[in-house]
Amino acid sequence: KLIAPLLLICFSATFFTSGTPTLFGFVAYVAGYTYNKTHRVYAALAIILTVLLSSYISGMAKLEYFLSVALILCAALFSYGIAAKRERQYKKREQESATQLEQLAAIAERERIARDLHDILGHSLSSIALKAELANKLQKAERFEQAGSEITQVADLARALLSDVRHAVTDLKQQQLAGQVEQLKQRLEEQ
């Protein structure tokens, strides 16, 4: 459906000018770029037949020159259309792969953050909970001095935990900045 009207225009133009090999070349590029393998064969045959038919029916003076220019130009632009489509598909696949890599990197980063937070928070919060329970039991047993000591240790553990979390978040922010700079550097190199 796409090539037939274009070939009809080229066929008609052959009766008015001898410069139609360029139009046939354009049609060949479109066919090479647009169609898959089996449809390309049919399109190429249709182009060749239209070139031959239009050159013989129009009764050109230098038929050999017209045919050689038209067929060589069509073959070259047909091949160029195929190459352009392959390059576009390759770039699309490359971009999809890069997107998938970014997604996997983000997932891996989230998992690393979760592990780090679990390591930092898990032990300290368990210790705080145990010491708070112990302080509560010591207070009920009226051992106020020992309960006060446990509460002081709970406060110290909470401060240490807060410091560790702040340190982890600071490291995370620095890593994100470095990662972003690296991404921008890669994009600039690609472009």
Side-chain angles (χ1 to χ4, degrees), residues 92-103:
K92 183 179 177 184
R93 276 186 255 130
E94 192 176 71
Q95 186 177 19
E96 289 171 354
S97 295
T99 303
Q100 287 176 344
L101 284 176
E102 287 177 9
Q103 290 172 348

Side-chain angles (χ1 to χ4, degrees), residues 3 122 134 136 179:
I3 296 296
L134 178 59
N136 189 27

Side-chain angles (χ1 to χ4, degrees), residues 9-10 12-15 17-25 54 60 66 70:
I9 292 169
C10 293
S12 302
T14 307
F15 293 99
T17 179
S18 61
T20 53
T22 54
L23 290 176
F24 282 111
S54 66
M60 292 191 176
F66 177 83

